[in-house]
Amino acid sequence: MSWFRSVLGSGETSAQPTGAETIARLCDRVQSSTLLDDRRDAVRALKSLSKKFRLEVGTQCMDVLLGVLQTDRSDSEIASYAVETLLNIICPTMDEEDDDFEHIDVEAREKEVRQLSEQFVDIFLKSTENITLMLGLLEEYEFRIRWPAIRLMTALINLRSSQVQQIILVSPMGVSKLMDLLSDSREVIRNDGLLLLTGLTKGNANIQKIVAFENAFDLLLRIIMEEGASDGGIVVEDCLMLLLNLLKKNSSNQTFFKEGSFVQRLSPFFELQTLIPQNPDGTWSTQKVKNVHYMLQVIRSLVSPNNPQQATSACQKLIHSCGLLKQLCSILMASGVPADILTETINTVSEVIRGCKVNQDFFAAVNAPSSPPRPAIVVLLMSMVNEKQPFVLRCAVLYCFQCFLCKNEVGQEQIISTLLPATADVSAVTAGQLLCGGLFSQDPLSNWCAAIALSHALKDNNSQKEQLLRVQLATGLGQPPVSLLQQCANILSQPTVRFQTKIGLLILLSSWMAGCQLAVTHFLLNPANVPFLTAQVAEHTDEDELLGQGLCAFLLGICVHFNDNSNESFTKESMKQLIVKRVGLESFVEKLDLVSKHELYTLAAQKPQLRFPSPDVMMLDYEFTALFKQLEGVLMKAVSDKDDVETKKTIEDHDSIVTQYKEIIRDQDIELGELKTKHSKLEKEYKKSDVLLGEQAQQIQQLKDQYALIKAQHGAQSGQGDVNNSDSTSLAAADNGRIAQLEAEISALREENTTLGTQVQEKNARIEKLTNDLTISDAKAVLSSSDMENASSDELRTRMEEMQKENEKLRMALADATAESEAQSRKVDELSEKERNSKDVCNRQKSDLESRLAQSESNSASVSAENEHLKSTNQTLEAKLLEAQNSPQSGGSGDTEAINQLKEAINQLEQDKRALEQECDSLTENLEGVKKEMEDLLVLLTDTDAKKDHYKEKLKELGQTISDDELGEEGEDWEEDDEENS
């Protein structure tokens, strides 16, 4: 009490403050005290009161405590008190040492505590910064801060998991901070970190992926082996629960687990020498059972039928190749294994071999360590048909048998062959004998399991359905044998048959006869079978029998649809009429429709594994629900009045729809491939753009550095501004002269190009004129030939042939000249293009030179201004130096440094000048090359003119008259061209 008086600052003992008043004063003290010790004492007091006055502390002090964690976080003691107080508010622990603990209702108390905790958590989560604050506290290595912070985060996740998950996802490095807890050397921190991550990863695939890629698999498997694997304690169980959260229904993590070679690291966990207890009584501890159970679930999460088929198949093959399947089969055949572990091992082996041919073949070769050795599948079937075995174990064996036969025609043939009379071995116990024995035993569950097992041996395998028709059973001494099909029908028609047995036999007969006309024919050979089915469907029974009636209607529809009309007494049409008269079409459809609406149908259609709470509800099988769903609509149409043509048309329509969908899927695949190609191209372009951006960024940075360097150089100049100014002026004058020279050369090139273009146009005009002249000469030749009709025919013919030859030669020469002219025109165009390119280059260089000149001028101006300022400063300094009678060496050193900097600037400008001169030299070389090409072109034009003169002479020789004016004008033009060329 003296401590409370010191806290409250009151010496009175008569008036004691209430808990709320004390808490209010403590909160005020935390907020108003300037001394850290006072605030620490107040928070310590709040912590001690938080268990008894939880509501008051939570409502009044939560914001205060969060403020303490933000402001006084550097003090580990007060921070630990604040976190523990928040933990007591949000997640209190019930004190069993309390006197009233035995007198309270624990469930009601826990419900009340949880409701209040949820309210406080909602208040806490109103600000997302509070979670960020807690993540920051988790980084503290101090034990008394980190440990309560972990427990507080765990409580928040357990109460409001989705909200906390979203906040942690958007928090920078939020998951990484939590993963660091697994690397803590203190086991308490590490173990509570496991619990925190287990709650965090529930139901959130994104967090599961992040945790997995934070090297969680390696850390967890390492902890499991360090803690003793299957013999470890609760820590191993926590690790396996977290591992299961990361893998279950997360295909990305499953692929990462497989590709990271973590599957192989599971093998040491299942070594039989370490797994079987070495104690004398051979009992398994409760913790060991839990550890092995969770590890088996981890393996099942990798090969679950709900996973993508490709990923499941890859994991199945990997489990076999690393020897894990062999270890599981060894556990399966070992003695002393608890029933629940044996059941889970059977389920695990079932899913490892389901649909995998390699694993199924390996499992078929496994033998039990008995004398004589028996196949493992036979030993398991013995347990299935034994009514003394646990119910869950029998379900697991049936599931294993189904998985063994899934997509395994060889296995189906092996099972059916043990029933055939030619191959049945009487001395050895076979699978067929066990199935027949279970099918006709007095235990209804054995009947149902054996019937379902046989139906899986016949699934999608018509050849085995026909082979099974050969099986004959002896019903008694002196009585003829009966086929297995008829015996099933006989048991079905008995009035004392159990309902579960009846359902199992109906499923077996339906699976057997679906798609097999020969089996339907054998079934119709007994005239009592069809009337029995129609009577069952037409009978008014209780609701419990509706499922049986629906299955009888289903079997009756199969007899109609798969009927080959070989039995004249029961053809399709006669059976349709019988159903309509005895049952009624509407009643038949209604009974058939009730099956898919039954709750047992819904229960069985959820997943392939047989999971039933009790044997009473174990009626339907997953594969049968798929068969029923496939044939229900077909059988309704087969029994209705619509003829087979419409049914076939419907099937054809269905096939066409399927074909259309296949085409759509194919088109989508092609489109997807194109999109992938485009995506890859875009990625390459993006990478190139990224590289270009990086280079540009580097160039910009270099320019910035150069600018800063030049600015620093000019800023450091002193006393030498005039020299720099004169140098800059001389450089500017030189640059101006060089630019003027380049402009003159460009103008000369432009004039030469114009002259060449004009000459080419003139040559084209002359070629056209020659063409016209040639046409005129042809016409004159024709006219002259008509004028000389009276001459000698031989002479005329000879002259005409000569003229035609000359004309052909002229045409060929003209064509050659035209081709040469066109080639010359192309060369002129090329020269024009080169001239334009050189012009552009010159313009760019000119603009570059102008910008550099402007920059030099601006630099000169700034240097001049700074020079004046430095002169005045220098004079002032010299006066002060004279007054202080200091040595002149310091000033001399400063001038020397300034002169050196100016020299560096001058050297830089000279380098720029040399670079410009090199560019001008390269331009001059380009101009020389253009001039040389132009000279070559003029030579070609001269040759062309000579050829044209030759053609003119030829025309004159042929008698073509050419006026002197034309010849004179052309001659003058040619003479002018020759003078220009010279």
Side-chain angles (χ1 to χ4, degrees):
M1 296 305 295
S2 62
W3 183 82
F4 274 110
R5 285 197 296 272
S6 66
V7 171
L8 299 175
S10 175
E12 298 180 0
T13 58
S14 58
Q16 292 292 338
T18 62
E21 294 174 349
T22 304
I23 292 167
R25 292 180 183 179
L26 290 172
C27 289
D28 182 66
R29 183 177 175 184
V30 173
Q31 292 176 314
S32 60
S33 296
T34 57
L35 295 177
L36 179 61
D37 293 337
D38 293 341
R39 295 197 299 273
R40 187 189 300 118
D41 293 338
V43 175
R44 185 191 297 114
L46 288 174
K47 174 194 169 186
S48 61
L49 294 173
S50 60
K51 291 185 178 180
K52 187 174 182 180
F53 299 99
R54 179 191 176 200
L55 179 61
E56 291 79 2
V57 175
T59 53
Q60 298 183 40
C61 304
M62 183 173 290
D63 294 336
V64 176
L65 295 171
L66 292 172
V68 168
L69 292 176
Q70 292 175 350
T71 57
D72 296 331
R73 179 178 170 182
S74 58
D75 185 75
S76 60
E77 188 174 358
I78 191 173
S80 65
Y81 292 151
V83 176
E84 289 177 1
T85 306
L86 289 172
L87 181 62
N88 292 335
I89 295 170
I90 293 176
C91 184
T93 56
M94 297 183 65
D95 192 359
E96 298 183 4
E97 296 180 358
D98 191 357
D99 296 336
D100 299 332
F101 181 78
E102 297 179 356
H103 305 286
I104 62 174
D105 188 353
V106 178
E107 294 182 0
R109 175 64 176 166
E110 289 179 352
K111 184 177 180 181
E112 180 183 355
V113 169
R114 183 176 180 82
Q115 290 177 352
L116 189 57
S117 297
E118 290 175 351
Q119 295 176 6
F120 284 137
V121 170
D122 293 336
I123 297 172
F124 187 89
L125 294 178
K126 284 183 178 179
S127 176
T128 57
E129 296 297 328
N130 294 334
I131 296 295
T132 306
L133 180 62
M134 290 294 106
L135 292 175
L137 292 174
L138 290 176
E139 292 182 296
E140 298 289 339
Y141 188 75
E142 188 71 28
F143 179 80
R144 54 182 174 180
I145 296 178
R146 201 173 200 183
W147 187 44
I150 294 173
R151 291 186 292 161
L152 180 58
M153 282 293 296
T154 305
L156 294 173
I157 291 172
N158 292 335
L159 293 171
R160 290 290 183 269
S161 60
S162 59
Q163 298 179 25
V164 178
Q165 286 170 348
Q166 295 302 321
I167 297 172
I168 292 177
L169 270 178
V170 299
S171 178
M173 301 297 291
V175 179
S176 299
K177 295 175 183 177
L178 299 178
M179 284 299 300
D180 291 339
L181 301 175
L182 297 183
S183 302
D184 200 306
S185 58
R186 296 164 293 191
E187 292 187 359
V188 176
I189 301 293
R190 184 197 65 186
N191 298 342
D192 284 346
L194 285 171
L195 297 177
L196 191 155
L197 289 170
T198 302
L200 182 66
T201 53
K202 284 183 179 178
N204 194 305
N206 293 325
I207 292 180
Q208 291 170 1
K209 293 177 183 177
I210 297 173
V211 171
F213 283 95
E214 288 284 345
N215 202 25
F217 293 140
D218 182 63
L219 290 173
L220 292 174
L221 292 176
R222 191 182 307 165
I223 294 172
I224 289 172
M225 293 305 167
E226 289 176 356
E227 293 291 328
S230 61
D231 293 324
I234 189 68
V235 178
V236 174
E237 180 183 351
D238 295 338
C239 290
L240 292 172
M241 289 178 65
L242 177 56
L243 194 61
L244 191 59
N245 283 352
L246 297 177
L247 292 175
K248 198 171 184 179
K249 298 180 181 179
N250 194 318
S251 57
S252 175
N253 285 359
Q254 292 168 6
T255 304
F256 179 66
F257 191 84
K258 173 178 67 68
E259 294 178 352
S261 301
F262 294 112
V263 176
Q264 293 86 329
R265 293 175 61 178
L266 301 180
S267 297
F269 193 94
F270 293 101
E271 291 181 358
L272 198 60
Q273 292 80 6
T274 59
L275 196 64
I276 302 299
Q278 301 300 324
N279 50 10
D281 53 357
T283 57
W284 291 46
S285 64
T286 305
Q287 189 60 54
K288 186 181 182 69
V289 171
K290 290 182 179 180
N291 294 342
V292 177
H293 185 81
Y294 278 117
M295 182 56 82
L296 291 171
Q297 287 189 350
V298 168
I299 297 176
R300 291 187 65 184
S301 66
L302 298 173
V303 293
S304 174
N306 298 325
N307 295 344
Q309 180 61 35
Q310 187 175 1
T312 301
S313 178
C315 289
Q316 288 174 334
K317 293 177 182 178
L318 182 59
I319 289 173
H320 174 262
S321 62
C322 71
L324 195 54
L325 177 59
K326 182 178 180 180
Q327 291 177 321
L328 293 175
C329 292
S330 299
I331 297 171
L332 199 65
M333 296 292 102
S335 58
V337 180
D340 49 354
I341 294 298
L342 183 60
T343 302
E344 190 65 23
T345 305
I346 294 172
N347 289 327
T348 305
V349 172
S350 303
E351 294 182 351
V352 171
I353 68 174
R354 181 182 178 86
C356 182
K357 187 69 173 61
V358 178
N359 294 1
Q360 289 169 344
D361 293 341
F362 175 81
F363 182 71
V366 174
N367 291 322
S370 60
S371 181
R374 292 175 179 173
I377 193 68
V378 173
V379 176
L380 292 176
L381 288 177
M382 292 173 66
S383 301
M384 185 186 72
V385 297
N386 187 355
E387 56 182 329
K388 295 181 180 180
Q389 294 293 337
F391 170 68
V392 290
L393 178 62
R394 300 173 72 181
C395 293
V397 172
L398 179 57
Y399 181 54
C400 183
F401 189 76
Q402 294 175 4
C403 294
F404 172 70
L405 298 178
C406 181
K407 300 179 183 179
N408 186 7
E409 294 185 358
V410 176
Q412 290 176 331
E413 182 181 359
Q414 291 174 355
I415 297 299
I416 297 301
S417 64
T418 59
L419 290 166
L420 299 178
T423 58
D425 188 1
V426 181
S427 60
V429 178
T430 62
Q433 294 177 6
L434 294 172
L435 292 176
C436 283
L439 189 63
F440 304 122
S441 69
Q442 299 298 321
D443 180 26
L445 184 58
S446 298
N447 302 151
W448 189 88
C449 292
I452 299 300
L454 276 175
S455 68
H456 280 271
L458 302 173
K459 184 178 182 296
D460 299 331
N461 196 332
N462 287 335
S463 61
Q464 299 306 319
K465 291 178 181 180
E466 295 177 358
Q467 287 293 326
L468 195 60
L469 295 173
R470 296 169 50 199
V471 177
Q472 300 289 324
L473 301 176
T475 57
L477 295 175
Q479 296 182 0
V482 181
S483 66
L484 178 61
L485 181 69
Q486 186 55 45
Q487 183 64 19
C488 292
N490 294 338
I491 297 174
L492 189 65
S493 61
Q494 293 177 1
T496 58
V497 63
R498 303 282 186 89
F499 184 71
Q500 192 173 26
T501 304
K502 180 179 179 181
I503 297 297
L505 291 173
L506 287 172
I507 291 174
L508 173 60
L509 292 174
S510 300
S511 303
W512 192 347
M513 292 161 51
C516 183
Q517 293 182 345
L518 185 60
V520 173
T521 302
H522 278 70
F523 183 78
L524 296 178
L525 289 177
N526 189 349
N529 291 337
V530 174
F532 168 75
L533 293 177
T534 54
Q536 289 290 314
V537 178
E539 186 179 14
H540 296 284
T541 58
D542 300 335
E543 293 183 359
D544 298 337
E545 298 290 336
L546 291 178
L547 182 62
Q549 285 188 323
L551 294 184
C552 288
F554 183 70
L555 183 59
L556 196 58
I558 289 174
C559 293
V560 174
H561 181 65
F562 298 101
N563 193 342
D564 59 356
N565 294 324
S566 60
N567 191 334
E568 297 180 357
S569 301
F570 297 103
T571 61
K572 284 188 177 181
E573 292 299 326
S574 62
M575 291 190 66
K576 288 179 184 178
Q577 296 176 2
L578 180 65
I579 291 172
V580 171
K581 292 180 181 179
R582 296 288 303 274
V583 180
L585 187 59
E586 294 181 358
S587 177
F588 178 85
V589 173
E590 180 183 0
K591 297 293 176 62
L592 198 60
D593 189 50
L594 286 176
V595 176
S596 59
K597 296 180 180 179
H598 203 279
E599 58 182 357
L600 296 178
Y601 181 93
T602 305
L603 180 64
Q606 291 178 357
K607 55 180 61 179
Q609 184 182 358
L610 302 169
R611 283 191 176 180
F612 298 102
S614 64
D616 298 334
V617 296
M618 194 172 180
M619 296 293 173
L620 296 179
D621 173 52
Y622 176 82
E623 296 296 340
F624 176 76
T625 58
L627 177 66
F628 186 88
K629 189 176 182 179
Q630 178 184 357
L631 295 179
E632 180 182 8
V634 178
L635 299 183
M636 287 183 180
K637 293 177 182 178
V639 176
S640 62
D641 291 336
K642 298 178 182 179
D643 54 5
D644 294 338
V645 176
E646 294 184 0
T647 303
K648 292 179 181 179
K649 184 179 179 181
T650 304
I651 296 174
E652 291 175 357
D653 294 340
H654 175 72
D655 294 338
S656 64
I657 293 171
V658 172
T659 305
Q660 291 176 1
Y661 277 113
K662 287 182 179 179
E663 293 176 355
I664 292 172
I665 293 171
R666 192 180 299 110
D667 295 339
Q668 289 177 351
D669 289 338
I670 296 172
E671 185 178 357
L672 181 61
E674 294 175 353
L675 290 175
K676 287 181 178 179
T677 305
K678 291 180 180 179
H679 176 68
S680 61
K681 291 181 180 178
L682 289 175
E683 280 187 346
K684 293 179 180 177
E685 293 178 358
Y686 171 75
K687 291 179 180 178
K688 291 180 181 178
S689 302
D690 195 10
V691 173
L692 291 175
L693 286 175
E695 293 176 354
Q696 292 175 358
Q698 292 178 358
Q699 293 176 1
I700 292 170
Q701 187 63 36
Q702 291 175 359
L703 292 174
K704 287 182 179 180
D705 295 340
Q706 292 176 2
Y707 172 74
L709 181 61
I710 293 171
K711 187 175 181 182
Q713 290 174 354
H714 288 302
Q717 292 172 355
S718 62
Q720 299 296 328
D722 294 335
V723 177
N724 192 15
N725 191 13
S726 63
D727 292 338
S728 300
T729 305
S730 62
L731 289 174
D735 291 339
N736 287 329
R738 190 62 179 168
I739 290 170
Q741 184 180 358
L742 288 172
E743 288 180 349
E745 292 177 355
I746 289 170
S747 61
L749 278 174
R750 188 182 295 110
E751 292 176 358
E752 290 180 2
N753 191 18
T754 305
T755 302
L756 287 174
T758 305
Q759 291 177 359
V760 170
Q761 291 178 358
E762 291 176 356
K763 300 303 179 185
N764 288 334
R766 288 176 185 173
I767 290 171
E768 291 179 358
K769 189 173 182 181
L770 284 174
T771 305
N772 295 331
D773 292 344
L774 182 61
T775 304
I776 293 170
S777 68
D778 290 339
K780 287 182 178 181
V782 174
L783 291 174
S784 63
S785 64
S786 62
D787 291 338
M788 292 186 291
E789 288 179 355
N790 298 326
S792 162
S793 61
D794 295 335
E795 294 178 356
L796 289 174
R797 189 178 297 107
T798 303
R799 188 175 179 181
M800 286 293 294
E801 290 176 355
E802 292 176 353
M803 291 179 66
Q804 288 177 357
K805 291 179 180 179
E806 292 293 332
N807 288 338
E808 290 295 331
K809 292 180 179 179
L810 286 174
R811 287 192 180 92
M812 294 173 64
L814 182 60
D816 294 338
T818 305
E820 291 178 358
S821 178
E822 290 177 354
Q824 293 169 2
S825 300
R826 286 195 296 272
K827 288 185 177 180
V828 171
D829 293 336
E830 292 176 357
L831 289 173
S832 300
E833 182 65 25
K834 290 182 179 179
E835 190 268 338
R836 286 194 296 272
N837 294 334
S838 62
K839 180 181 177 182
D840 293 337
V841 173
C842 291
N843 288 333
R844 288 195 296 271
Q845 293 178 351
K846 179 182 177 182
S847 61
D848 189 13
L849 291 171
E850 289 175 353
S851 63
R852 292 181 181 180
L853 181 60
Q855 184 177 1
S856 299
E857 291 175 354
S858 63
N859 292 336
S860 299
S862 62
V863 167
S864 298
E866 292 176 357
N867 189 19
E868 294 297 330
H869 175 68
L870 291 172
K871 281 182 179 180
S872 60
T873 306
N874 192 17
Q875 293 173 359
T876 305
L877 291 172
E878 287 177 355
K880 291 182 179 180
L881 288 171
L882 291 174
E883 292 174 0
Q885 293 181 355
N886 295 330
S887 70
Q889 295 178 358
S890 61
S893 63
D895 293 338
T896 302
E897 183 180 358
I899 290 169
N900 293 331
Q901 292 176 350
L902 287 173
K903 286 182 178 180
E904 291 178 358
I906 291 169
N907 293 331
Q908 182 67 32
L909 292 173
E910 288 178 353
Q911 291 177 1
D912 294 340
K913 178 183 175 182
R914 286 195 294 272
L916 291 174
E917 288 177 353
Q918 291 177 359
E919 292 177 357
C920 291
D921 293 338
S922 64
L923 288 174
T924 303
E925 292 177 359
N926 292 333
L927 288 174
E928 293 296 331
V930 171
K931 287 180 179 180
K932 186 176 181 180
E933 290 179 355
M934 288 181 178
E935 290 176 358
D936 296 338
L937 180 60
L938 290 175
V939 171
L940 290 173
L941 290 175
T942 303
D943 295 340
T944 304
D945 290 339
K947 289 181 180 179
K948 288 181 181 178
D949 292 340
H950 179 68
Y951 296 153
K952 283 285 186 178
E953 294 297 331
K954 288 283 185 74
L955 290 172
K956 289 179 182 180
E957 291 176 359
L958 292 172
Q960 177 66 35
T961 58
I962 300 175
S963 63
D964 295 336
D965 296 335
E966 293 177 354
L967 184 59
E969 291 175 358
E970 292 177 357
E972 292 175 357
D973 294 338
W974 293 338
E975 290 175 359
E976 292 175 358
D977 293 340
D978 293 339
E979 292 176 358
E980 290 176 358
N981 294 334
S982 63

